[in-house]
Amino acid sequence: STSLGIATPAPVDVICGRGKMTSSHPGNRRFRELVLEKKQAYQRARRRDEKTQITFELVQTLREGGSKFLLFDTKTGLWYDVGDEYAREKVSHSLRSRPNEHRRTKPKPPRKSSLKKN
């Protein structure tokens, strides 16, 4: 991307990628709150253009609030804005995904072999 690198993300910025910072960063907390507000409408939307509109508006809301969507570049040691297309991809992925609580709490089904020992 042509944007200049940033040394430190601002509190309003949304951090892309994995790692501890993505969950604790204030901009990501706000991001998740906004996603939660729109999630039901998104998952209820039947038409693709409705979903696109919701995604578009969410990115716009964040951008208008001063947020940048940043990804860390290990080569330069700087953060770069990923652009709106990537940002919308991140937003729509978050809107599609199930809430985190259900992800890890389901116990694994027991292995067949341990059920009956003859």
Side-chain angles (χ1 to χ4, degrees):
S1 95
T2 56
S3 69
L4 290 169
I6 295 159
T8 311
V12 292
D13 292 336
V14 177
I15 292 169
C16 304
R18 300 190 175 280
K20 281 198 286 278
M21 214 171 160
T22 53
S23 51
S24 62
H25 191 71
N28 288 59
R29 287 207 194 110
R30 176 164 153 67
F31 172 81
R32 285 195 300 274
E33 281 164 19
L34 287 170
V35 164
L36 275 176
E37 282 171 25
K38 301 278 184 194
K39 197 169 233 182
Q40 262 191 316
Y42 184 90
Q43 292 184 356
R44 269 201 307 258
R46 288 286 156 254
R47 299 204 326 271
R48 196 185 181 121
D49 60 332
E50 290 175 57
K51 291 181 189 280
T52 303
Q53 184 63 31
I54 292 167
T55 301
F56 203 90
E57 283 169 8
L58 226 159
V59 171
Q60 203 174 356
T61 301
L62 285 156
R63 291 279 191 202
E64 283 167 3
S67 297
K68 290 181 287 298
F69 288 78
L70 300 175
L71 196 56
F72 188 69
D73 183 351
T74 49
K75 282 196 209 76
T76 60
L78 294 170
W79 297 85
Y80 294 89
D81 195 304
V82 294
D84 283 351
E85 207 175 314
Y86 188 112
R88 286 195 286 270
E89 203 51 55
K90 179 179 172 67
V91 166
S92 63
H93 182 264
S94 298
L95 286 163
R96 283 194 306 271
S97 67
R98 296 279 165 246
N100 290 345
E101 298 86 76
H102 303 313
R103 210 171 288 161
R104 285 186 203 89
T105 51
K106 274 198 190 126
K108 285 195 179 110
R111 277 226 205 70
K112 292 258 174 354
S113 61
S114 64
L115 284 177
K116 48 175 183 274
K117 290 194 170 101
N118 291 344

